[in-house]
Amino acid sequence: MRDDKKEGFAVDHAYRSSWPLIVMVLIGLITLSGCAKNTGGVTASSATTATNNSTTAVLTKADQQISQTKIAAARKTLASAANPNAAVKNLATGLKYYQEAEEALENNQLSLAKGYFETLSSYDGTTDASFIAARQKLVKQYQAVKQANGYYNAARDDLSVHDLATAKANIDKLDRVSVSHPVIKELQKKALAMKQAIMNYEASQSTSSGSESSTVVSSSSSSSSSDSNSATSSTDSTSSSSSTATSSSDSSTSSSSSSTLTTSAIIKQFQDAAGVTFASDTEFNITKQTSDYYQITAVYAADESSSSASKTVTDTYRYYPDSGNVTKEDSASGTFE
């Protein structure tokens, strides 16, 4: 019996001694679970931090490239972002608009550039300082190129009608435009060729005594080749059977096709081609005529709601009878679009 008691005590002792072991195992499992949760949280936080650091690095690099006017490279940098945020996407959109306007300006396509610059100037999707500074610089260049084109086109047109004094004045204005863009430099080179032609013509006029005619060579707006406009001077005016007269040295010969049209017929053709409904009291005047176009002013009463002190408004157009095209002068830049 004593042996039975000993055996029962041993079993009871062994059973009781297993409880601490079970408790320790449970505590270990709980600790491991908590560590796993903490490790997961740290991993997620680390991933978020890494993404933010990556985006910041992309924006920093793109800003550096923008400040160096490397717009194509900046767009590639932004496109390389693995998880682009709103700041990256909005800056990329702004640079797309910038590059479209920049390319049109480089090609001196002012009609095309006008729409691109309107889009670029009104874009407010990003507040990136480098982008805003680059945009402001490009817009200033656009304004300067428009001004330079206005002077160049005016000088070319003046030369085509043999108005040498006005042509030289416009060339001088073009020379004074700051060369903030390669297009301006190119226009100034073309204008220099026109000015040299005028000087050669004037020199020939001062040295020749019996010459009845001389030729002024003007540079072409579309190519490097030159066109010749002849001005014939005459001391004795004679009328011919075709009712045309020899022009003096400060005027150019009108084309035979244009001279057959009356003023009213030209105005009628212009109105039809312009596609504009003019008021019945609009006054039309042909202020300039070349072999290519008629320059026509339309004078009409100002709108009563207008803040202008003038009671009339004058718009200037150019009508090209051969093609039927009509362009209107931009009062700010002096260019016809």
Side-chain angles (χ1 to χ4, degrees):
M1 185 175 178
R2 183 176 296 175
D3 291 337
D4 291 340
K5 287 182 178 180
K6 289 180 178 182
E7 183 178 353
F9 176 78
V11 170
D12 183 62
H13 180 73
Y15 177 74
R16 289 180 180 180
S17 64
S18 63
W19 277 105
L21 178 61
I22 294 171
V23 171
M24 290 178 66
V25 170
L26 291 175
I27 292 173
L29 291 174
I30 292 171
T31 301
L32 289 174
S33 176
C35 288
K37 289 182 179 179
N38 289 337
T39 301
V42 170
T43 301
S45 177
S46 299
T48 301
T49 301
T51 300
N52 290 338
N53 290 340
S54 175
T55 300
T56 301
V58 165
L59 287 171
T60 300
K61 183 178 180 180
D63 281 340
Q64 292 174 347
Q65 292 167 327
I66 294 170
S67 63
Q68 297 169 359
T69 326
K70 297 178 179 178
I71 305 304
R75 292 185 66 186
K76 288 182 180 179
T77 298
L78 295 173
S80 69
N83 296 298
N85 57 13
V88 171
K89 292 178 180 178
N90 291 340
L91 180 56
T93 300
L95 292 182
K96 173 179 176 292
Y97 296 149
Y98 180 102
Q99 199 166 34
E100 289 173 343
E102 181 185 42
E103 289 177 357
L105 187 60
E106 286 176 352
N107 295 325
N108 200 22
Q109 298 174 318
L110 295 186
S111 297
L112 182 64
K114 182 179 180 181
Y116 287 144
F117 272 93
E118 288 175 352
T119 301
L120 175 64
S121 299
S122 62
Y123 182 67
D124 59 357
T126 180
T127 57
D128 185 273
S130 297
F131 168 77
I132 292 174
R135 178 175 62 181
Q136 290 175 342
K137 181 179 178 180
L138 187 65
V139 169
K140 287 182 179 179
Q141 290 177 339
Y142 170 58
Q143 297 297 338
V145 169
K146 283 205 305 180
Q147 184 183 45
N149 270 282
Y151 292 142
Y152 175 78
N153 292 334
R156 182 192 59 193
D157 294 341
D158 293 331
L159 189 57
S160 71
V161 295
H162 216 67
D163 187 354
L164 305 186
T166 307
K168 285 195 296 183
N170 280 308
I171 291 172
D172 290 339
K173 290 177 182 178
L174 175 56
D175 286 340
R176 290 194 290 269
V177 176
S178 176
V179 185
S180 59
H181 194 275
V183 168
I184 298 175
K185 186 175 182 179
E186 184 63 27
L187 291 174
Q188 289 176 340
K189 285 182 178 179
K190 291 182 178 181
L192 181 61
M194 284 195 289
K195 190 171 185 178
Q196 187 61 50
I198 294 172
M199 292 172 64
N200 291 342
Y201 169 76
E202 292 177 333
S204 68
Q205 286 293 94
S206 63
T207 57
S208 64
S209 58
S211 175
E212 293 185 357
S213 64
S214 58
T215 303
V216 176
V217 180
S218 63
S219 63
S220 170
S221 61
S222 60
S223 66
S224 59
S225 64
S226 299
D227 299 327
S228 295
N229 294 319
S230 298
T232 305
S233 75
S234 174
T235 57
D236 295 323
S237 286
T238 58
S239 58
S240 65
S241 57
S242 60
S243 71
T244 59
T246 304
S247 63
S248 59
S249 60
D250 62 346
S251 62
S252 63
T253 304
S254 299
S255 65
S256 59
S257 60
S258 297
S259 63
T260 59
L261 293 174
T262 64
T263 300
S264 59
I266 294 169
I267 297 299
K268 179 64 170 60
Q269 289 183 4
F270 157 70
Q271 289 176 309
D272 294 340
V276 178
T277 302
F278 294 99
S280 59
D281 59 347
T282 302
E283 178 183 337
F284 298 95
N285 296 293
I286 298 177
T287 58
K288 183 184 292 186
Q289 177 182 344
T290 72
S291 59
D292 296 324
Y293 65 83
Y294 294 97
Q295 185 160 303
I296 301 171
T297 59
V299 183
Y300 55 92
D303 190 352
E304 293 181 357
S305 61
S306 174
S307 58
S308 174
S310 177
K311 295 182 179 180
T312 61
V313 176
T314 302
D315 290 330
T316 305
Y317 299 86
R318 283 180 182 170
Y319 168 54
Y320 297 80
D322 290 343
S323 63
N325 291 333
V326 174
T327 58
K328 183 179 180 181
E329 182 183 28
D330 185 329
S331 58
S333 65
T335 59
F336 286 80
E337 301 177 353

